[in-house]
Amino acid sequence: MSATLKKSAHIRYHLRCLKTFLPNAYTGNDSQRITLAFFTLCALDLLDALVSSTTDSERIGYIEWIYRCQHPDGGFRGFTGGDIGHNRTKENEYWDPANIAATYFALASLAILGDDLTGVKRPECLMWLKRLQLQNGTFGEALGFGGEVHGGNDMRFCYCAAAIRWILDGGTGGEDDFDIGRMMRFFEASQVSF
């Protein structure tokens, strides 16, 4: 028995996730809504249904929502619920962090939607990314109180950092660029021999 892809069912499911309420199992992930949006947009694009199943104004609305997730100091939040806006102070700013995975998913989603990325705070994002690099060459997930790097030591965050750098054309080697040599040494040290 051969398997067949039920394309129309997949399209309906992803449109439901994009245009209405998320399935109940996903509602606890609201703080990572940008991740869910990326996979939904990506699936519709791969199914060749993103443009044919959404209107221009809907796609513009998705782009605007993603930009509302942009952090003032660089990077993107996982959702707009963490934005404390004008109430943000040095004492509480760590409650409103950008996140490396959310930043990758936001930039990739903007690209999928055909945005030209001119609204991205490129210098701020690249400097934020540089501050996330750990001594061993990998990257943290977010900046906490006093700029302390939280999370990380994980190959996935290296992928996110490299992709963010490439998307933003940050490979200048200048002061806003992270240490590629350090990241490469982390890769080499992480290799497993069989």
Side-chain angles (χ1 to χ4, degrees):
M1 185 168 135
S2 65
T4 58
L5 177 67
K6 295 179 182 174
K7 186 176 176 180
S8 62
H10 285 277
I11 292 170
R12 278 194 314 275
Y13 171 78
H14 288 291
L15 285 172
R16 174 190 174 210
C17 291
L18 188 63
K19 293 184 176 191
T20 65
F21 296 109
L22 289 170
N24 192 42
Y26 298 135
T27 56
N29 294 314
D30 199 51
S31 67
Q32 294 303 316
R33 188 170 284 269
I34 197 77
T35 304
L36 300 171
F38 166 76
F39 285 108
T40 301
L41 292 168
C42 193
L44 288 169
D45 192 41
L46 287 170
L47 293 165
D48 200 26
L50 180 60
V51 174
S52 63
S53 298
T54 59
T55 65
D56 289 343
S57 63
E58 285 173 325
R59 289 189 301 280
I60 290 168
Y62 305 146
I63 290 168
E64 289 171 349
W65 176 78
I66 293 168
Y67 276 117
R68 284 195 302 275
C69 293
Q70 188 167 207
H71 195 277
D73 296 333
F76 286 78
R77 303 170 182 89
F79 75 133
T80 54
D83 183 1
I84 53 180
H86 67 277
N87 293 317
R88 187 168 184 252
T89 66
K90 284 288 179 198
E91 290 77 33
N92 68 14
E93 69 183 0
Y94 62 93
W95 291 107
D96 178 28
N99 171 305
I100 195 167
T103 300
Y104 166 69
F105 291 132
L107 294 172
S109 295
L110 289 168
I112 289 168
L113 290 163
D115 186 65
D116 63 6
L117 305 179
T118 55
V120 175
K121 298 176 180 179
R122 288 173 191 256
E124 292 89 342
C125 191
L126 291 168
M127 287 301 289
W128 166 80
L129 188 60
K130 181 180 178 179
R131 290 193 309 271
L132 284 176
Q133 191 170 29
L134 299 169
Q135 269 317 111
N136 69 353
T138 188
F139 290 81
E141 185 175 358
L143 295 176
F145 186 74
E148 181 183 351
V149 178
H150 288 275
N153 234 1
D154 189 317
M155 193 68 72
R156 294 172 297 174
F157 297 139
C158 289
Y159 170 81
C160 290
I164 292 165
R165 179 181 182 261
W166 182 81
I167 291 168
L168 296 180
D169 195 26
T172 62
E175 66 182 42
D176 62 345
D177 205 2
F178 60 78
D179 189 332
I180 298 294
R182 222 178 338 151
M183 185 172 74
M184 295 305 295
R185 286 188 292 282
F186 175 76
F187 290 161
E188 291 165 358
S190 300
Q191 291 182 44
V192 178
S193 297
F194 293 99

